[in-house]
């Protein structure tokens, strides 16, 4: 809707103002989303491409990989999970 588009435009302009701050004042910003949504977001304002020099694409994790990450996380904190739970 028109109201949503205005809000989106205003929000992006606010973000870009913050990005223009001197490096000592500019916040670190992380934008995350699915590839198509991020493409749509970046296309909302050409200035975003100039201000966001780095992008990273991450593969989707498999269930096994997520279980391994959880297991590592738990072990690093001194706990353990029963194997049947993984």
């Amino acid at each position: 809707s028109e109201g949503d588009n205005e809000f989106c435009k205003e929000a992006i302009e606010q973000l870009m103002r913050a990005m223009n701050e001197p490096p000592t004042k500019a916040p670190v910003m992380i934008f995350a989303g699915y590839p198509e949504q991020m493409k749509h977001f970046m296309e909302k304002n050409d200035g975003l491409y100039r201000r966001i020099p780095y992008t990273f694409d991450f593969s989707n994790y498999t269930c096994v990989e997520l279980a391994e990450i959880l297991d590592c996380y738990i072990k690093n904190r001194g706990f353990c999970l029963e194997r049947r739970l993984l």
Side-chain angles (χ1 to χ4, degrees):
S1 77
E2 184 64 34
D4 289 341
N5 284 337
E6 270 307 304
F7 175 76
C8 181
K9 181 180 176 188
E10 185 177 331
I12 289 173
E13 287 172 1
Q14 288 292 325
L15 290 170
M16 290 180 55
R17 272 191 217 109
M19 289 180 202
N20 287 333
E21 291 288 331
T24 56
K25 289 187 174 187
V28 172
M29 296 184 190
I30 298 172
F31 302 101
Y34 291 106
E36 194 57 37
Q37 292 168 326
M38 293 308 298
K39 180 178 178 263
H40 183 69
F41 168 73
M42 294 294 285
E43 289 172 348
K44 290 287 185 181
N45 187 306
D46 291 335
L48 287 172
Y49 283 107
R50 290 191 307 276
R51 290 175 176 84
I52 303 174
Y54 304 104
T55 62
F56 303 92
D57 294 319
F58 296 97
S59 302
N60 292 331
Y61 289 112
T62 65
C63 291
V64 171
E65 289 169 325
L66 289 171
E68 289 171 353
I69 291 168
L70 175 63
D71 189 44
C72 184
Y73 182 84
I74 296 293
K75 283 180 181 175
N76 285 339
R77 280 154 184 75
F79 298 98
C80 65
L81 289 175
E82 293 180 29
R83 279 280 151 213
R84 65 181 180 81
L85 296 175
L86 290 176

